[in-house]
Amino acid sequence: MSLTHARGRPKRSVTYMRDRPRRWPNRPADRHKAEARTGRLFTAPAMCLLLIFLIIPIALAFSLGFTDAKLSSPQPTRWVGLSNFEDLLSIKPLTLDEARVRELAGPEGTVRTALRSLTKNGSGTPYEGMSVLSDSVAADGKSGSFWLAGDPLFWKSLRNTAVFALVVVPVQGGLGLLLALLVNSRFRGRVFFRTVFFLPVVMSMVVVSILWAFLYEKDGLVNNAIKAVYPSWDPIAFLADPSTALPAIIAMSIWQAVGFHMIIWLAGLQTIPAELYEAAKMDGAGPWRTFTSVTWPGLRHTFVFVLVTITIAALGMFTQVNVMTKGGPLDSTSTLVYQAFAEGYGKQRIGYASAISFVFFVLVLCVALIQRRLTREKDA
Amino acid sequence: MTTTVKARRTLARTAFYAAGALLSLAFLLPMVFMIVSSFKGKLQIFEDLESVRAFLPVGDVGLDNYQGLFSRVPLARFYVNSLLVSFLVVGLGLVINSLAAFGIARMRWRGQGIVMGVLIATLIVPFETLALPLLYWVNNLPYVSFATGTPELTTGWINTYAVQIVPFIANAFSIFLFVQFFKSIPREIDEAAFIDGAGFLTVYRRIVVPLSGPAFATSAILTFLPIWNSYLWPTMVVQEEGLRPLPVGLDYFFQSNTAEGVPWGQIMGYTTLVTLPIMVLFIVFQRSFVASVANSGIKG
């Protein structure tokens, strides 16, 4: 649209134009040029910063995984192709029967010693350098089958990340909706409830992690609270037990972030026109029918947003793990981002860590695409 | 008949409030415990764990933890660091991002479609993916150091304030938010201003900024919270104690076990000091906080 010039009475606008400062030229062509120049000038500072601190790092994220980059190393960085990804992703099944064990480790040898001869460096076997991810060894220790992985921690981290997301997404999303429905109904004190449910969101995750680490101790409040309900409860140190550490972190993470999604749901609920509820009431719909026919369809877009944001946040879980457990006990709480941090920052292996980050990103992208596809089909 | 209906309604309301109250307890009690424990001696904290006293300021109550805390860690320094970093990121970010959005939303130039497309595409990249490449990158970037009094060209931004601030000033999501908002302001206003001889900068300063209060508030809150609470990035780039922001200082304090075990009382004091100001801020600005979060959902 060419400003004042196009709309009638050119004479008048021309007289005004003459009073204008010079940076706003008279001829339309010059004016467009000036507008373009100003527009680029305004946008330039942000774009330069984004180029340096977002676009280039994105390019690096995609390329460093193919190198042996170290954080600070006198040697130049070399291109190593897919070898980081091979180390990271390689996984092989192996079954050793008694005959093979005898052949590898002699008549007295066990399946473990036989395995070690296959995986030790310089053995020249396809299993060289791999470690045991899971095993089932016969009672006499003379035979067994194994899953071997180049990096067992990666598969454990991947599994933990998946478990975390699979639990957190439905529970946090559902609980958030429940809380939103609660504070959306008209009653005294709903602002109070809304504030209370949202409070943990503004807390730093480090603070929340440390606070809950204390609550989860063996003589801590959580155990005492359970004991008050079930007197026969045997207290456990939640974060020190491989079977409870991840669930404990999951519960606390839901507690911290559910308020955020309550607000998103609430915003969605408030876009549903009140007339629809009145119509449903007139048709004699009960609460459940109203929910399935009016509320839920009206929340479709909110649903997609909540689903995607919770999933991405859940896949990126890091702070809780680094503060509370450092990935332990027995790697039971390590996640992809935590592993990438430990490799890249802890061991300075930026190349390998970037490969992990790359896998993490592909995972996020896949999940986002699948969710978009799923929800789009529902639209049609 | 009417009495049973009334009775049922009262019952329903009571159940409703009971559920709400129980839920609020689940959210409030850990925080109450944190604040109350920060005033108790270590023995008192553990003695009270088994009863309701854990949530009440009773027994050996005092400010010892806070005194001990300030002599153990440079908490005031951490505070200043966090404030400095957050305010600069938010303040500079508001200016630079809104200017960029103004350039995109209200002027026409070739290539702005591409710029906007790239911006939106970057929104799906989680920071966790970028953290390590960014660490590698800033570790190799040139930096002008003033350590000796005269400017000196060195390499690596690690252990500076700049590395905590500069990478986060420009924010694709903020720009996107501003663009959406600026587009809703009628362009006829600009035209009227041009006739009066105003330039774009005047239009931005005198018209668009004053009309965009909600957009600025949303952007400010949504960039302030993650920066104030940020942990992954400062953990990696700040080893010097004097440069640490609050969460990193807290984590170091928590991880550094002393001979007498974890000093829980002092830790609760620290977490309280980190949390209280932001909670007060939240309760005061409750409306804009909630509106910001809600906005991020609707626009996203």
Side-chain angles (χ1 to χ4, degrees):
Chain A
M1 147 182 10
S2 70
L3 307 174
T4 48
H5 205 74
R7 39 187 72 197
R9 293 205 282 181
K11 233 182 181 173
R12 208 189 130 116
S13 73
V14 165
T15 42
Y16 271 98
M17 292 269 186
R18 210 165 285 153
D19 303 335
R20 260 194 213 158
R22 258 190 308 154
R23 73 189 121 137
W24 197 234
N26 236 331
R27 274 176 43 221
D30 292 345
R31 215 160 57 218
H32 286 313
K33 220 183 258 173
E35 183 174 333
R37 197 167 349 108
T38 325
R40 291 204 180 96
L41 197 72
F42 275 35
T43 318
M47 288 311 135
C48 289
L49 283 172
L50 284 177
L51 180 73
I52 298 172
F53 296 107
L54 185 69
I55 311 286
I56 291 176
I58 288 178
L60 282 173
F62 285 104
S63 52
L64 278 175
F66 301 98
T67 70
D68 66 350
K70 294 265 196 297
L71 195 53
S72 46
S73 160
Q75 277 144 14
T77 299
R78 279 182 313 137
W79 193 262
V80 294
L82 287 171
S83 94
N84 283 332
F85 291 94
E86 276 164 19
D87 290 349
L88 195 62
L89 299 170
S90 66
I91 180 163
K92 285 182 185 133
L94 174 66
T95 304
L96 295 175
D97 55 18
E98 278 184 49
R100 185 97 173 95
V101 169
R102 207 171 301 131
E103 182 190 322
L104 284 166
E108 296 303 311
T110 63
V111 68
R112 295 274 175 197
T113 46
L115 182 70
R116 268 199 292 279
S117 71
L118 288 175
T119 56
K120 71 165 186 271
N121 284 330
S123 66
T125 63
Y127 306 103
E128 184 182 336
M130 295 178 98
S131 325
V132 178
L133 178 63
S134 72
D135 58 44
S136 63
V137 177
D140 62 358
K142 295 286 187 188
S143 66
S145 55
F146 303 88
W147 277 100
L148 300 173
D151 185 352
L153 181 57
F154 169 75
W155 297 101
K156 288 179 195 164
S157 301
L158 186 67
R159 198 207 59 174
N160 294 338
T161 307
V163 168
F164 189 80
L166 284 174
V167 178
V168 166
V169 172
V171 175
Q172 184 169 305
L175 201 60
L177 177 58
L178 215 68
L179 294 180
L181 289 169
L182 183 78
V183 298
N184 192 40
S185 38
R186 303 203 150 276
F187 67 97
R188 266 162 169 285
R190 59 185 181 147
V191 175
F192 169 78
F193 285 120
R194 205 169 66 179
T195 309
V196 166
F197 299 151
F198 194 80
L199 268 181
V201 177
V202 301
M203 287 173 88
S204 162
M205 192 40 123
V206 179
V207 168
V208 174
S209 302
I210 290 175
L211 174 61
W212 280 79
F214 190 39
L215 300 183
Y216 279 139
E217 293 221 324
K218 195 161 186 175
D219 52 1
L221 278 179
V222 175
N223 274 310
N224 285 336
I226 301 175
K227 224 166 158 180
V229 185
Y230 296 105
S232 61
W233 173 256
D234 195 15
I236 38 176
F238 287 97
L239 295 175
D241 186 329
S243 64
T244 54
L246 189 62
I249 291 185
I250 288 176
M252 164 231 132
S253 306
I254 292 172
W255 178 86
Q256 196 266 343
V258 72
F260 182 89
H261 293 100
M262 170 191 77
I263 298 295
I264 306 278
W265 284 119
L266 196 61
L269 284 173
Q270 282 165 0
T271 61
I272 303 173
E275 299 90 71
L276 286 181
Y277 283 105
E278 275 160 32
K281 205 174 184 183
M282 280 214 272
D283 291 344
W288 178 247
R289 188 67 213 270
T290 310
F291 179 78
T292 53
S293 309
V294 178
T295 311
W296 186 246
L299 288 174
R300 206 194 295 133
H301 295 289
T302 316
F303 173 69
V304 178
F305 182 79
V306 169
L307 200 65
V308 173
T309 51
I310 298 185
T311 314
I312 293 178
L315 294 176
M317 177 178 63
F318 166 76
T319 305
Q320 305 94 302
V321 175
N322 195 46
V323 174
M324 294 173 99
T325 60
K326 303 270 177 217
L330 299 174
D331 304 331
S332 63
T333 57
S334 179
T335 62
L336 288 183
V337 175
Y338 178 75
Q339 195 198 357
F341 169 82
E343 288 286 347
Y345 176 70
K347 299 185 196 159
Q348 312 257 310
R349 296 171 66 194
I350 292 281
Y352 195 65
S354 296
I356 301 174
S357 297
F358 185 84
V359 173
F360 165 70
F361 177 69
V362 170
L363 197 69
V364 168
L365 197 65
C366 287
V367 168
L369 287 177
I370 291 170
Q371 285 180 340
R372 178 157 287 191
R373 169 65 55 89
L374 284 178
T375 43
R376 208 172 260 168
E377 271 165 18
K378 239 180 238 165
D379 282 0
Chain B
M1 185 66 178
T2 44
T3 46
T4 55
V5 170
K6 205 179 251 173
R8 203 183 289 163
R9 198 168 287 166
T10 319
L11 195 70
R13 179 164 303 166
T14 316
F16 185 78
Y17 275 108
L22 261 177
L23 274 166
S24 341
L25 279 185
F27 281 88
L28 277 179
L29 284 184
M31 293 182 253
V32 172
F33 173 75
M34 174 180 90
I35 296 169
V36 164
S37 300
S38 73
F39 296 104
K40 290 183 184 172
K42 192 171 177 182
L43 280 177
Q44 190 69 45
I45 296 177
F46 283 97
E47 269 171 32
D48 290 352
L49 275 179
E50 286 191 25
S51 65
V52 204
R53 291 162 60 91
F55 308 107
L56 301 171
V58 289
D60 167 27
V61 176
L63 289 171
D64 291 359
N65 290 328
Y66 290 94
Q67 280 166 357
L69 190 54
F70 277 97
S71 62
R72 278 273 271 278
V73 278
L75 191 62
R77 185 69 194 260
F78 296 163
Y79 240 101
V80 172
N81 292 343
S82 269
L83 283 173
L84 182 81
V85 169
S86 315
F87 275 79
L88 281 176
V89 169
V90 173
L92 294 172
L94 286 181
V95 176
I96 282 184
N97 294 322
S98 67
L99 266 180
F102 184 80
I104 293 171
R106 300 182 86 81
M107 296 176 219
R108 326 181 101 230
W109 37 280
R110 226 182 316 146
Q112 68 185 158
I114 299 168
V115 167
M116 203 56 196
V118 171
L119 278 186
I120 292 172
T122 60
L123 288 180
I124 59 159
V125 183
F127 178 73
E128 288 87 351
T129 322
L130 292 184
L132 288 159
L134 188 61
L135 174 66
Y136 178 80
W137 178 234
V138 297
N139 198 33
N140 289 306
L141 274 182
Y143 186 77
V144 182
S145 159
F146 292 93
T148 53
T150 48
E152 210 179 319
L153 197 68
T154 53
T155 309
W157 286 34
I158 306 297
N159 275 325
T160 60
Y161 282 116
V163 75
Q164 302 182 63
I165 298 167
V166 182
F168 305 102
I169 294 173
N171 181 309
F173 181 72
S174 273
I175 297 177
F176 183 65
L177 215 111
F178 280 123
V179 167
Q180 298 288 97
F181 199 90
F182 292 168
K183 277 189 173 161
S184 71
I185 301 172
R187 273 190 72 145
E188 282 74 22
I189 302 181
D190 299 12
E191 288 163 31
F194 293 145
I195 293 174
D196 292 344
F200 275 110
L201 204 59
T202 316
V203 172
Y204 166 79
R205 246 188 26 226
R206 295 293 220 13
I207 299 170
V208 172
V209 172
L211 284 175
S212 305
F216 279 87
T218 302
S219 171
I221 288 170
L222 289 180
T223 42
F224 173 75
L225 260 193
I227 279 288
W228 179 263
N229 291 334
S230 70
Y231 171 71
L232 170 63
W233 182 248
T235 299
M236 294 196 300
V237 296
V238 175
Q239 280 101 37
E240 236 169 76
E241 190 177 47
L243 293 173
R244 276 176 207 157
L246 284 167
V248 178
L250 172 60
D251 188 37
Y252 272 92
F253 185 48
F254 174 63
Q255 309 285 358
S256 64
N257 265 339
T258 51
E260 64 265 35
V262 187
W264 282 114
Q266 292 183 1
I267 286 179
M268 291 299 151
Y270 193 144
T271 54
T272 303
L273 284 180
V274 177
T275 309
L276 268 188
I278 191 130
M279 286 210 171
V280 171
L281 214 65
F282 164 63
I283 291 167
V284 172
F285 293 107
Q286 213 254 115
R287 267 173 183 283
S288 10
F289 253 94
V290 168
S292 302
V293 173
N295 267 347
S296 77
I298 293 164
K299 304 257 163 72

